[in-house]
Amino acid sequence: MSNSTVLQKETSKVHQEVIEANQKYVSEFGKKGELALPPARSFTILTCMDARLDPAKYAGLSEGDAHVIRNAGGRASDDAIRSLIISHKLLGTKEFFVIHHSDCGMALFTDQIIRNLLEKSLKTATVDSSGWKNKEESGGSDEARFISFLTFESLEKSVIDDVKRIRNHPLIPKDIPVYGYFYDVRTGKLVEVEEATKIGRAS
């Protein structure tokens, strides 16, 4: 089966664009296949999945340089910490950056809000001045009651909380510095959260 074979009977415009972009990338891949498994610059970034953030650009990364862990909010969830542990223990990273960002969607709702929405519908919700609402209410599930969505009210406190959780985790060595920053979506600047970085100092 060739790499260009499409198994789906119908594909979207986005799907086609991704496959075409990959074909171009493959044609220019060069010697990247020779990159080593451990990240060359020995550090890891934990950041948000927000489409406005490009860690390669805001942190000056090339392929092979660093690990980048992304989730909604850039939170130090159990799974993010699992990845940090593997990043250090098996792949030799020596520094961690926690980077949240301004205008984050995770500050726009609470666990209870999203649980209520999902209980009534799995379709995409909308938001206006009166709050979040479903376009239609059918086919929902109450499974969301088992999920902590890790929402927050204060951007800086969220960075502090996550650095603190990583710093205090028994499987994260104390000699790994954990830096706390947020990315300003209006300027592209990384802004240090000094209290977080103090908490994350190596010892």
Side-chain angles (χ1 to χ4, degrees), residues 58 62 88-89 134 143 156 162 167 175 177 191 200-201:
Y58 74 57
S62 297
H88 165 71
K89 182 65 177 178
N134 288 316
E143 283 296 304
E156 291 198 2
D162 283 355
R167 174 76 296 146
D175 61 353
V191 180
R201 281 177 179 162

Side-chain angles (χ1 to χ4, degrees), residues 6 8 66 81 97 102 117:
V6 177
Q8 293 90 340
I81 289 178
F97 287 76
S102 62
L117 290 167

Side-chain angles (χ1 to χ4, degrees), residues 40-183:
R41 293 173 61 189
S42 300
F43 74 94
T44 303
I45 293 173
L46 170 59
T47 196
C48 186
M49 67 183 190
D50 191 297
R52 295 170 292 179
L53 278 63
D54 187 342
K57 291 179 180 177
Y58 74 57
L61 305 179
S62 297
E63 288 99 327
D65 275 353
H67 287 152
V68 178
I69 302 163
R70 301 187 73 158
N71 63 35
R75 303 308 310 270
S77 62
D78 288 347
D79 194 61
I81 289 178
R82 174 187 71 91
S83 296
L84 289 170
I85 293 166
I86 293 169
S87 176
H88 165 71
K89 182 65 177 178
L90 301 182
L91 293 164
T93 54
K94 298 176 176 65
E95 300 174 73
F96 297 158
F97 287 76
V98 173
I99 304 176
H100 295 186
H101 67 95
S102 62
D103 193 33
C104 185
M106 297 299 287
L108 301 179
F109 65 98
T110 64
D111 277 18
Q112 197 54 54
I113 287 172
I114 193 169
R115 285 169 181 161
N116 290 343
L117 290 167
L118 287 165
E119 187 175 3
K120 297 174 182 176
S121 174
L122 303 184
K123 300 288 187 182
T124 300
T126 60
V127 65
D128 58 28
S129 58
S130 63
W132 290 94
K133 55 177 64 71
N134 288 316
K135 294 179 183 178
E136 60 180 77
E137 297 198 338
S138 62
S141 170
D142 65 358
E143 283 296 304
R145 71 186 189 278
F146 299 114
I147 297 175
S148 174
F149 290 92
L150 303 178
T151 60
F152 58 82
E153 295 181 1
S154 166
L155 173 59
E156 291 198 2
K157 186 175 184 302
S158 73
V159 176
I160 293 165
D161 288 347
D162 283 355
V163 168
K164 186 181 295 184
R165 182 165 192 233
I166 295 166
R167 174 76 296 146
N168 293 334
H169 198 282
L171 295 178
I172 302 291
K174 302 304 181 188
D175 61 353
I176 294 180
V178 186
Y179 312 113
Y181 285 81
F182 69 83
Y183 172 88

